[in-house]
Amino acid sequence: MTTRIPARFALCASQNRPALVAYTMAGDPDLATAQAILEALPGAGADIIELGMPFSDPMADGPGVQAAGQRALAAGQTMKKTLAMVEAFRKQDDETPIVLMGYYNPIYIFGVDAFLSAAKAAGVDGLIVVDLPPEEDAELCIPALRAGLNFIRLATPTTDDARLPAVLNNTSGFVYYVSMTGITGASIKNHAAVGEAVTRIKGHTDLPVVVGFGIKTADDAARMGRDSDGIAVGTAICNAVLGSLENGKATAGTVAAVTTLVAGLSSGVKRAKAAA
Amino acid sequence: MTATGANSLRNGPDEQGRFGLYGGRFVAETLMPLILDLEKAYRAAQADPEFQAQIKHLATHYVGRPSPLYFAERLTEQLGGAKVYFKREELNHTGSHKINNTLGQILLAKRMGKTRIIAETGAGQHGVATATVCAKFDLPCVVFMGATDVERQYPNVLRMKMLGAEVRPVTAGAGTLKDAMNEALRDWVTNVETTYYLIGTAAGPHPYPEMVRNFQSVIGEEIKAQMQAETGKLPDAVVACVGGGSNAIGTFHAFLDDPSVKLYGAEAGGHGIEVENGHAASMTGGRPGVLHGNRTYLLQNADGQILEGHSISAGLDYPGVGPEHSYLHDTKRVTYAPITDKEALDAFQLCTRLEGIIPALESAHGLAHLMKVAPTMSTDETIVLCLSGRGDKDVESVGRYLGMNS
């Protein structure tokens, strides 16, 4: 198993703060700009990077991430190019963990074994595949663990205590707690319930728990980071890219729009535990 | 689950919801507990004589079952081969086979204590059938429908609204059935506590493909009994159109273990199977992949991105197909073939003029395939078409194609 993920959580814990997990869509708005965004994320304060694999039919995503995936596909993004982005990133950063996030079909069509060995060789640390629940572990989860890649599972408000062990079994790297029943980019309605859920999950596992869905600002990051080991931000980053475009194309301000947002979120996670 | 022999084709799915390679439960974790609950509730309902009696009663008095089996005499003469019969599902209440499934599922939703119903629809037939049972059982109903389909099936949009449903047009993608299904899944994942997703076709995560098939299997069972009464034997061939494939699986299932009965599924060939992204024939022109909760044949590009597909018929305009059809395609028990827009339009007109029956454009695809097969059969053989829906909803768009509107 790759060691970048546990090393990074240990580093954040030693600094008494949650990790900032930043999601960016591979190939959005074009390959070169996406590469520049990816490479600028660690400097802006991202501790862990989720790199989105665009898919034509992202059933669990709201309009922000959907549009980012559409832009990437329109610009010609493919799985091969996404893996090449990681490979290029690794030439200058061998410490920041990268988790590929997306849906199963593009992986299935690439070929599970071919995908796993290419991802491992490129320097990927883990996978989050939204439409593969534990019931389908034989498809990708078990082969991924065998290949030395972490398989990070989503736990949700509907995952009760009876089901939680099944969800945590075969999960590695960290647990991604989805803060609400809903799609990415919606708003968290009950912050207290999220904290309780994180505490409940931590009663079942020693893995770090990251909270995602609905975190948009530095204040959200500070608030949600109080009880968790990390917070994940995706839609806000996709929307920052969108806001920087002119006629659908990247501008001189595109990378800065993302790094400014991420730097703000980073300040949020740094005061999360102090605010407790 | 059917009590049949080990080599029966009627045993699927297995406990994981698989028909061979196909099917499964490829959904987000948020939905997984609900899908497991649904399966439990469905098994309990299946075993409950009262639930079965309720369905039977409503099928008789509300839907009008059994639907007639009709000998299409002039069409038989015209084709000069096998005797042609229509299974008249278009005479059901709401005008298609879709009501068979929505009645079963609404009773299940009630048993589960759900208070809100959502559905996707392409041609609007399933949307109308869902809005109908929601009116009858007093449940709020939201129907997701692609914006393109809202336009080309407008009469059904009005029917849904009059029945009290909210119709939400979906503008993502090409604005057709696939996009409507994505949006329905997004709504479901958001409102999972209260909401029952009433899927209209024999696709989606397990147990939907099995459940929808079982609610639709009445079609084939009635054909079997009616043909026995009419001719004293089984039909020699049975034809149905296949989009997601609910009328087809409901028609075929009773005959899967009768090898003498040839089974044909007509896919949407659109502008022609050789036209890239110009058809919706997922089995003839696609390959296995994972979408909308199941593994099945899909129209997709080399990188696993799903294509939109095209068909003149909104009900067949879907890049996937129910997983059991994928299995029956691989095992070659059913022969699936593409029918072009033009062939379907020709069949639509022929049926209307010869038999005085305006078929849905979906069913016209099945008829077009029957018109190819029947002439190759002998006059003492029989062939049955599942006439799955009536064409009232299509008269405007067909009129436009034929230049009648000017």
Side-chain angles (χ1 to χ4, degrees), chain B residues 190-204:
Chain B
T190 307
N191 302 298
V192 66
E193 292 267 321
T194 57
T195 298
Y196 183 92
Y197 182 13
L198 209 162
I199 295 184
T201 194

Side-chain angles (χ1 to χ4, degrees), chain A:
Chain A
M1 201 62 68
T2 72
T3 55
R4 293 183 196 101
I5 293 174
R8 184 51 55 100
F9 278 108
L11 177 71
C12 292
S14 76
Q15 296 171 354
N16 192 33
R17 64 177 181 85
L20 173 58
V21 181
Y23 174 100
T24 187
M25 180 64 80
D28 174 33
D30 61 73
L31 186 55
T33 309
Q35 188 74 40
I37 291 171
L38 180 64
E39 290 174 4
L41 283 174
D47 297 299
I48 295 172
I49 297 170
E50 288 173 351
L51 186 60
M53 300 175 281
F55 182 48
S56 52
D57 293 82
M59 279 93 65
D61 285 304
V65 176
Q66 283 177 45
Q70 295 299 321
R71 291 192 295 270
L73 292 174
Q77 191 67 13
T78 61
M79 185 65 90
K80 231 174 155 175
K81 289 180 185 173
T82 299
L83 293 167
M85 283 179 68
V86 180
E87 201 177 346
F89 176 90
R90 280 279 169 254
K91 294 207 168 96
Q92 47 187 311
D93 184 328
D94 198 31
E95 288 175 0
T96 305
I98 293 189
V99 174
L100 293 180
M101 183 163 181
Y103 295 81
Y104 183 41
N105 196 53
I107 296 171
Y108 180 69
I109 293 303
F110 195 94
V112 165
D113 292 341
F115 171 79
L116 291 173
S117 59
K120 188 79 199 287
V124 170
D125 299 284
L127 306 173
I128 301 178
V129 184
V130 179
D131 52 355
L132 285 178
E135 282 73 7
E136 302 291 352
D137 268 358
E139 294 283 334
L140 182 66
C141 173
I142 307 287
L145 294 175
R146 268 196 212 121
L149 287 171
N150 290 288
F151 199 84
I152 294 135
R153 192 101 63 191
L154 306 175
T156 71
T158 59
T159 314
D160 60 16
D161 278 332
R163 182 165 168 80
L164 202 47
V167 170
L168 294 172
N169 184 32
N170 291 333
T171 298
S172 66
F174 58 92
V175 179
Y176 189 125
Y177 181 67
V178 177
S179 67
M180 64 180 87
T181 58
I183 52 180
T184 54
S187 295
I188 299 173
K189 290 189 191 99
N190 188 343
H191 290 83
V194 178
E196 284 162 25
V198 171
T199 308
R200 178 168 69 90
I201 293 169
K202 289 180 82 67
H204 287 262
T205 180
D206 293 331
L207 289 170
V209 178
V210 170
V211 175
F213 282 41
I215 299 171
K216 294 168 182 145
T217 65
D219 284 347
D220 293 339
R223 202 165 172 191
M224 286 292 102
R226 203 174 300 165
D227 304 307
S228 66
D229 303 299
I231 57 108
V233 181
T235 299
I237 292 174
C238 294
N239 287 343
V241 171
L242 174 65
S244 76
L245 303 180
E246 270 173 31
N247 300 321
K249 302 276 184 213
T251 62
T254 297
V255 176
V258 173
T259 53
T260 304
L261 174 73
V262 171
L265 293 163
S266 175
S267 73
V269 295
K270 280 176 185 147
R271 61 187 158 85
K273 304 288 183 192

Side-chain angles (χ1 to χ4, degrees), chain B residues 171-249:
Chain B
T171 51
T176 57
L177 185 50
K178 165 179 90 107
D179 312 297
M181 199 148 180
N182 287 336
E183 222 40 52
L185 283 163
R186 289 183 187 117
D187 181 296
W188 198 24
V189 93
T190 307
N191 302 298
V192 66
E193 292 267 321
T194 57
T195 298
Y196 183 92
Y197 182 13
L198 209 162
I199 295 184
T201 194
H206 178 66
Y208 281 100
E210 176 192 351
M211 192 165 73
V212 175
R213 176 199 72 199
N214 290 348
F215 288 135
Q216 294 291 1
S217 288
V218 64
I219 304 174
E221 286 156 15
E222 286 180 6
I223 294 175
K224 220 172 185 175
Q226 289 167 323
M227 282 302 283
Q228 286 286 358
E230 172 98 6
T231 67
K233 55 186 180 100
L234 292 172
D236 297 292
V238 173
V239 188
C241 64
V242 183
S246 70
N247 91 81
I249 201 68

Side-chain angles (χ1 to χ4, degrees), chain B residues 11-76:
Chain B
N11 286 341
D14 66 15
E15 277 178 24
Q16 274 66 52
R18 300 291 181 100
F19 302 89
L21 176 67
Y22 305 102
R25 287 178 284 217
F26 297 89
V27 296
E29 171 61 23
T30 310
L31 296 178
M32 204 52 226
L34 183 71
I35 282 173
L36 295 173
D37 278 354
L38 173 62
E39 190 180 353
K40 224 181 283 170
Y42 176 57
R43 296 287 173 237
Q46 270 183 309
D48 180 353
E50 198 180 323
F51 180 79
Q52 301 301 337
Q54 243 179 324
I55 290 186
K56 184 98 182 42
H57 180 83
L58 287 166
T60 307
H61 300 282
Y62 191 65
V63 178
R65 300 212 72 89
S67 64
L69 184 78
Y70 164 73
F71 174 48
E73 199 172 353
R74 290 192 68 203
L75 191 66
T76 300

Side-chain angles (χ1 to χ4, degrees), chain B residues 94-399:
Chain B
T94 75
S96 80
H97 70 290
K98 292 292 187 187
I99 191 86
N100 301 330
N101 169 49
T102 59
L103 261 187
Q105 286 201 52
I106 199 86
L107 292 173
L108 193 57
K110 288 288 251 192
R111 281 174 75 106
M112 293 178 76
K114 298 294 176 183
T115 55
R116 176 176 176 265
I117 304 294
I118 58 170
E120 84 296 335
T121 197
Q125 296 297 81
H126 173 60
V128 167
T130 304
T132 298
V133 295
C134 285
K136 177 168 169 53
F137 288 94
D138 193 23
L139 285 167
C141 174
V142 177
V143 179
F144 294 89
M145 188 171 187
T148 306
D149 293 340
V150 167
E151 198 178 322
R152 62 178 163 172
Q153 308 277 226
Y154 201 66
N156 274 344
V157 175
L158 291 178
R159 290 168 79 196
M160 286 184 266
K161 287 183 175 170
M162 287 171 193
L163 288 160
E166 181 193 339
V167 179
R168 286 200 201 153
V170 178
T171 51
T176 57
L177 185 50
K178 165 179 90 107
D179 312 297
M181 199 148 180
N182 287 336
E183 222 40 52
L185 283 163
R186 289 183 187 117
D187 181 296
W188 198 24
V189 93
T190 307
N191 302 298
V192 66
E193 292 267 321
T194 57
T195 298
Y196 183 92
Y197 182 13
L198 209 162
I199 295 184
T201 194
H206 178 66
Y208 281 100
E210 176 192 351
M211 192 165 73
V212 175
R213 176 199 72 199
N214 290 348
F215 288 135
Q216 294 291 1
S217 288
V218 64
I219 304 174
E221 286 156 15
E222 286 180 6
I223 294 175
K224 220 172 185 175
Q226 289 167 323
M227 282 302 283
Q228 286 286 358
E230 172 98 6
T231 67
K233 55 186 180 100
L234 292 172
D236 297 292
V238 173
V239 188
C241 64
V242 183
S246 70
N247 91 81
I249 201 68
T251 302
F252 297 158
H253 195 250
F255 297 103
L256 291 179
D257 288 340
D258 298 309
S260 71
V261 182
K262 293 199 175 69
L263 303 174
Y264 298 98
E267 290 197 278
H271 302 307
I273 202 83
E274 67 290 344
V275 180
E276 200 194 10
N277 212 13
H279 61 83
S282 45
M283 286 180 289
T284 322
R287 61 190 170 125
V290 174
L291 180 73
H292 293 156
N294 55 181
R295 176 164 30 225
T296 192
Y297 276 86
L298 297 172
L299 300 178
Q300 52 187 320
N301 72 12
D303 208 44
Q305 306 296 336
I306 310 303
L307 301 174
E308 296 287 347
H310 158 81
S311 171
I312 188 174
S313 141
L316 305 183
D317 203 347
Y318 180 67
V321 65
E324 194 165 6
H325 287 293
S326 292
Y327 174 68
L328 294 170
H329 175 60
D330 281 7
T331 56
K332 298 191 164 50
R333 175 63 187 97
V334 180
T335 305
Y336 297 90
I339 291 296
T340 64
D341 289 351
K342 171 143 197 331
E343 289 170 323
L345 277 169
D346 290 347
F348 177 98
Q349 292 175 82
L350 192 74
C351 184
T352 303
R353 299 297 279 270
L354 285 183
E355 297 294 346
I357 296 173
I358 302 180
L361 274 175
E362 292 74 25
S363 319
H365 283 72
L367 181 60
H369 193 68
L370 178 145
M371 287 162 56
K372 293 180 183 180
V373 176
T376 69
M377 298 168 67
S378 79
T379 52
D380 54 9
E381 289 183 303
T382 59
I383 185 166
V384 182
L385 170 74
C386 177
L387 193 62
S388 54
R390 60 176 175 239
D392 305 34
K393 67 189 176 58
D394 295 311
V395 293
E396 268 185 45
S397 54
V398 172

